[in-house]
């Protein structure tokens, strides 16, 4: 996934960042797999042209942790079968789950029943929108 500069907040990341789809970013006190934040513009499926190669680096610690990657808080490498996350993990579990999330977001103008992951995704897609709905 390509996370464009500023997609996660001001100067976060500072430069475009490429992560695997299951790699989580740390935002609002939780870890969220970047695939759950795709908006097709600022966070999108990475498409490499014929001249581009990608090198992935995994940083492993004794315990899972959050590190700075180009100004974005990202989780360190983890073996999900062995290590517990260093923060609560929020994720959609399939297409229906994401569809329900989109419907909650659309209906939130009338009645706000969004879950924490819905609010995080909405705030990244349209900064300031969650504040306007809460007022």
């Amino acid at each position: 996934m390509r996370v464009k500069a500023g997609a996660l907040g001001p100067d976060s990341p500072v430069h475009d960042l490429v992560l695997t789809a299951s790699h989580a970013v740390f935002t609002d006190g939780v870890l969220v797999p970047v695939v759950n934040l795709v908006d097709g513009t600022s966070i999108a499926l990475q498409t490499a042209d014929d001249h581009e190669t990608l090198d992935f680096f995994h940083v492993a610690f004794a315990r899972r942790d959050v590190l700075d990657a180009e100004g974005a808080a990202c989780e360190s490498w983890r073996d999900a079968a062995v290590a517990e996350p260093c923060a609560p993990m929020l994720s959609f579990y399939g297409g229906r789950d994401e569809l329900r999330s989109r419907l909650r977001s659309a209906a939130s103008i009338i009645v706000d029943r969004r879950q924490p992951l819905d609010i995080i995704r909405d705030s990244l897609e349209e900064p300031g929108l969650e504040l306007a709905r809460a007022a």
Side-chain angles (χ1 to χ4, degrees):
M1 308 310 268
R2 181 174 298 274
V3 180
K4 290 190 176 179
L8 300 173
D11 297 323
S12 180
V14 175
H15 303 285
D16 286 5
L17 181 63
V18 178
L19 301 170
T20 61
S22 62
H23 205 93
V25 296
F26 183 75
T27 183
D28 293 345
V30 296
L31 291 166
V32 179
V34 73
V35 70
N36 295 148
L37 302 174
V38 170
D39 63 10
T41 305
S42 61
I43 302 174
L45 178 64
Q46 167 67 32
T47 55
D49 61 29
D50 294 336
H51 306 290
E52 185 176 34
T53 60
L54 300 174
D55 294 317
F56 284 93
F57 296 92
H58 296 283
V59 180
F61 298 108
R63 292 183 8 216
R64 289 170 62 177
D65 209 343
V66 173
L67 52 94
D68 181 306
E70 294 291 346
C74 297
E75 73 172 334
S76 60
W77 182 83
R78 63 178 161 85
D79 181 349
V82 176
E84 289 295 317
C86 60
M89 178 83 74
L90 297 180
S91 184
F92 296 125
Y93 299 101
R96 286 185 182 176
D97 210 21
E98 188 170 356
L99 176 60
R100 282 192 287 269
S101 170
R102 294 287 180 182
L103 292 172
R104 284 190 299 267
S105 291
S108 69
I109 295 168
I110 299 165
V111 60
D112 195 348
R113 301 242 189 247
R114 294 176 297 160
Q115 303 297 312
L117 183 50
D118 307 336
I119 294 168
I120 291 169
R121 189 207 51 237
D122 291 348
S123 70
L124 293 176
E125 289 180 357
E126 297 184 49
L129 183 61
E130 76 288 352
L131 298 176
R133 288 183 180 155

